[in-house]
Amino acid sequence: MKPRSFFYPLLGCLLLLGAWELLGRSGALGKTLPALSQVLSVFLDAPRRALLLRSAAATLGSAAIGYAAGACAGAAVAVLAHLVPILRGGLDRMAVLVNALPVIALGPILIITAGREDTPAALASVPVFFLLYISTGLGLRATSHRLDLMFTTLGAGRWQRLMKLESVAALPSILSGMKIAAGSAMIGAIVGEWFGAPTGLGIVVLNSMENFQIPLLWATVIVIAAITLASYGLLTLAERAARRRIG
């Protein structure tokens, strides 16, 4: 990694955090934007720090379950559409319909069908399903025609071409979709918690707003952003490793 590629993003983050501190201290935006030092003091308070850790664990668990379920379902349906082209048109429309459904509208339905505790995971899986369906399908169809023809000439069957050629070529696209889906899973889980989940970062956000605990609200946002960025970073490293291995 070049020093500049590390230095400039770091400088940008420091400038942003410094501007946040100055704006908060000046009171230019009122009480809705406390100084960064006030927000960070929340993490030094043992009871509130414990609350954030418990809530983060609950939200991360729901997001992980929804992420895994949505990713597996999306990839499986994409493989089915690839193997049986006659089904692709209908499955494409189904995926678009699933993605077009408003998350807020799905919440009450999932409460009745899945229950309040499982609604965050169910809502997290919806956007992940769509993103993995699209990225997997595009990756499978992007396989080199020459390589596919060579495998066919050498006597490889449909399943062999899928496992040894198309799935390998599709891996970077799949990982790219998984990278984008990480943030969507967190958002889905948090929104799902608003429909009556017993615990989670979404509940902390609502309670902080209702009780006007603005530093706690911003601290929760920082935790959500940190989890999302960490997931994105790990999947970015996996994507780069896959591209290097294939290339």
Side-chain angles (χ1 to χ4, degrees), residues 1-11 240:
M1 180 182 290
K2 295 181 180 180
R4 286 186 178 182
S5 63
F6 176 77
F7 175 74
Y8 287 123
L10 179 61
L11 179 61
R240 290 177 179 174

Side-chain angles (χ1 to χ4, degrees), residues 171-231:
L171 189 57
S173 177
I174 294 172
L175 288 172
S176 180
M178 292 178 67
K179 178 176 65 175
I180 299 171
S184 300
M186 279 295 295
I187 294 172
I190 290 168
V191 173
E193 290 168 350
W194 294 349
F195 291 95
T199 185
L201 293 172
I203 303 301
V204 178
V205 168
L206 286 180
N207 290 337
S208 301
M209 291 173 60
E210 292 174 356
N211 297 297
F212 208 69
Q213 295 179 324
I214 304 302
L216 179 59
L217 174 62
W218 279 101
T220 309
V221 171
I222 289 177
V223 172
I224 295 170
I227 294 173
T228 303
L229 289 174
S231 303

Side-chain angles (χ1 to χ4, degrees), residues 16-243:
L16 178 62
L17 295 176
W20 183 355
E21 178 70 18
L22 291 175
L23 280 173
R25 287 184 177 275
S26 67
L29 298 178
K31 295 182 178 180
T32 57
L33 183 68
L36 177 61
S37 55
Q38 288 181 273
V39 176
L40 295 179
S41 67
V42 171
F43 297 102
L44 301 178
D45 183 63
R48 289 191 290 183
R49 184 173 64 245
L51 170 65
L52 288 173
L53 288 174
R54 288 196 307 270
S55 302
T59 300
L60 188 57
S62 297
I65 293 171
Y67 184 87
C72 291
V77 175
V79 170
L80 176 62
H82 183 69
L83 292 175
V84 190
I86 196 173
L87 298 178
R88 184 179 299 162
L91 292 175
D92 285 350
R93 292 181 180 87
M94 180 201 70
V96 172
L97 176 63
V98 169
N99 186 61
L101 292 173
V103 175
I104 298 296
L106 283 175
I109 298 173
L110 290 173
I111 287 175
I112 298 173
T113 56
R116 293 184 183 275
E117 293 188 1
D118 295 327
T119 294
L123 280 181
S125 69
V126 174
V128 177
F129 168 84
F130 176 76
L131 289 168
L132 263 294
Y133 175 81
I134 296 298
S135 62
T136 303
L138 290 174
L140 291 172
R141 292 194 292 273
T143 306
S144 170
H145 177 68
R146 291 182 178 180
L147 287 176
D148 187 60
L149 184 60
M150 184 183 73
F151 269 64
T152 304
T153 303
L154 293 174
R158 188 70 188 88
W159 186 253
Q160 288 178 309
R161 296 202 306 273
L162 175 66
M163 297 302 296
K164 296 183 178 181
L165 173 63
E166 295 167 344
S167 61
V168 175
L171 189 57
S173 177
I174 294 172
L175 288 172
S176 180
M178 292 178 67
K179 178 176 65 175
I180 299 171
S184 300
M186 279 295 295
I187 294 172
I190 290 168
V191 173
E193 290 168 350
W194 294 349
F195 291 95
T199 185
L201 293 172
I203 303 301
V204 178
V205 168
L206 286 180
N207 290 337
S208 301
M209 291 173 60
E210 292 174 356
N211 297 297
F212 208 69
Q213 295 179 324
I214 304 302
L216 179 59
L217 174 62
W218 279 101
T220 309
V221 171
I222 289 177
V223 172
I224 295 170
I227 294 173
T228 303
L229 289 174
S231 303
Y232 185 89
L234 289 173
L235 290 167
T236 298
L237 293 176
E239 180 190 15
R240 290 177 179 174
R243 289 186 184 277

